[in-house]
Amino acid sequence: MTYDSALAALADPTRRRVFEQLRTGPKSVGGIARDMPVSRPAVSQHLRVLKEAGLVRDEQDGARRVYSIDPRGLGPLRRWLDQFWDQALDAFKAEVERPTPSPRRRRRS
Amino acid sequence: MTYDSALAALADPTRRRVFEQLRTGPKSVGGIARDMPVSRPAVSQHLRVLKEAGLVRDEQDGARRVYSIDPRGLGPLRRWLDQFWDQALDAFKAEVERPTPSPRRRRRS
DNA sequence: CACTATCGTAAGTCATGACTTACGGTAAGT
DNA sequence: ACTTACCGTAAGTCATGACTTACGATAGTG
């Protein structure tokens, strides 16, 4: 739900690959696992983490279960990153534009 | 350097807290560790990971070592997130607005 | 020089989590 | 009803990594 669970979920490379497979559209569990080097239960577990992080949604379709990206899931992470980016840029700018080299003592040539 | 190392680096809560402490400006290792529940060597190790991910820079200042955020470090992650955001939204939109199975959709926003 | 402050690294411990196989449960086809 | 396809969960294994303490190296101070 928050940006930290999204970060934790997207940190693992395998899980991120699962997530990226949904970028083109909804997909079933078996369809995802077919293009991956891990077992199907592993994919299920990754999807569980992604779902708990609010990044994907699931929908029953007969015997299959179709997963798709929940676009709102990336919102918090995006906002956190943006805010962070702005503040970091400001601090960096202030650091660069500083006229006098340093208020530190000791500088006797 | 790339978005995956940035994701891995920012996934850990403690390391993210170290990173967030630099948001207000440069800080020394001891200064960071003073506001954290872990030891100073732990902070050093976290800073090492952050540095290898290109998220922070370090500068020697006497006996101290001052760390600051490298604004360019968040670039790849931001770009990846944006691209992902757009594509996911398009796929989601096409999925919702589907009166008939539409073939493809190009970017719009 | 002796002493202190600041920091990085090495080594070892320990919990977390990413896999596997095995199993049970539901839906569709014959 | 039987068989097949699809999927989630449980349990167990094993590597990764986040800590700790101990130590050494360097810079400033008296």
Side-chain angles (χ1 to χ4, degrees):
Chain A
M1 296 289 260
T2 53
Y3 72 93
D4 52 274
S5 60
L7 270 175
L10 295 175
D12 182 73
T14 307
R15 187 160 44 229
R16 194 168 52 243
R17 242 182 95 180
V18 169
F19 187 60
E20 286 173 344
Q21 283 207 28
L22 299 177
R23 194 162 43 180
T24 57
K27 219 167 179 183
S28 70
V29 179
I32 298 174
R34 205 164 295 121
D35 298 336
M36 301 221 35
V38 294
S39 68
R40 183 195 51 77
V43 174
S44 267
Q45 295 166 6
H46 283 308
L47 285 168
R48 195 159 105 95
V49 176
L50 290 171
K51 183 183 174 184
E52 288 176 354
L55 293 172
V56 300
R57 306 176 307 141
D58 62 328
E59 179 191 1
Q60 200 77 19
D61 175 42
R64 307 187 330 181
R65 183 166 292 203
V66 176
Y67 282 86
S68 57
I69 289 184
D70 189 345
R72 304 172 302 142
L74 286 177
L77 178 55
R78 239 179 82 94
R79 278 191 294 274
W80 175 80
L81 196 59
D82 279 356
Q83 151 205 332
F84 209 98
W85 213 55
D86 292 343
Q87 295 196 18
L89 266 188
D90 286 352
F92 180 73
K93 211 178 299 176
E95 174 75 10
V96 167
E97 291 174 352
R98 186 175 46 189
T100 58
S102 164
R104 303 243 179 278
R105 50 172 48 137
R106 166 166 208 314
R107 176 59 107 148
R108 219 37 158 129
S109 265
Chain B
M1 301 285 251
T2 52
Y3 73 95
D4 52 274
S5 59
L7 271 175
L10 295 175
D12 182 73
T14 306
R15 188 161 41 225
R16 195 169 51 243
R17 243 182 95 180
V18 169
F19 186 60
E20 286 173 343
Q21 284 209 27
L22 299 177
R23 196 164 42 181
T24 57
K27 217 167 180 184
S28 69
V29 179
I32 299 174
R34 206 164 295 124
D35 298 336
M36 301 223 33
V38 294
S39 67
R40 182 195 52 77
V43 173
S44 266
Q45 293 165 9
H46 284 307
L47 285 168
R48 195 161 99 97
V49 175
L50 289 171
K51 181 183 175 184
E52 287 176 354
L55 293 172
V56 300
R57 308 176 303 139
D58 62 328
E59 179 192 1
Q60 200 78 18
D61 174 43
R64 307 187 331 180
R65 183 166 294 202
V66 176
Y67 282 86
S68 57
I69 288 185
D70 189 346
R72 305 171 302 142
L74 287 177
L77 178 56
R78 240 181 83 92
R79 276 191 293 276
W80 176 79
L81 196 59
D82 280 354
Q83 151 204 331
F84 210 97
W85 174 273
D86 292 341
Q87 295 196 18
L89 266 188
D90 284 354
F92 180 74
K93 212 177 299 175
E95 174 74 10
V96 168
E97 293 174 349
R98 183 177 53 186
T100 61
S102 63
R104 272 295 186 87
R105 261 306 193 148
R106 293 306 289 170
R107 306 193 34 183
R108 195 160 57 92
S109 69

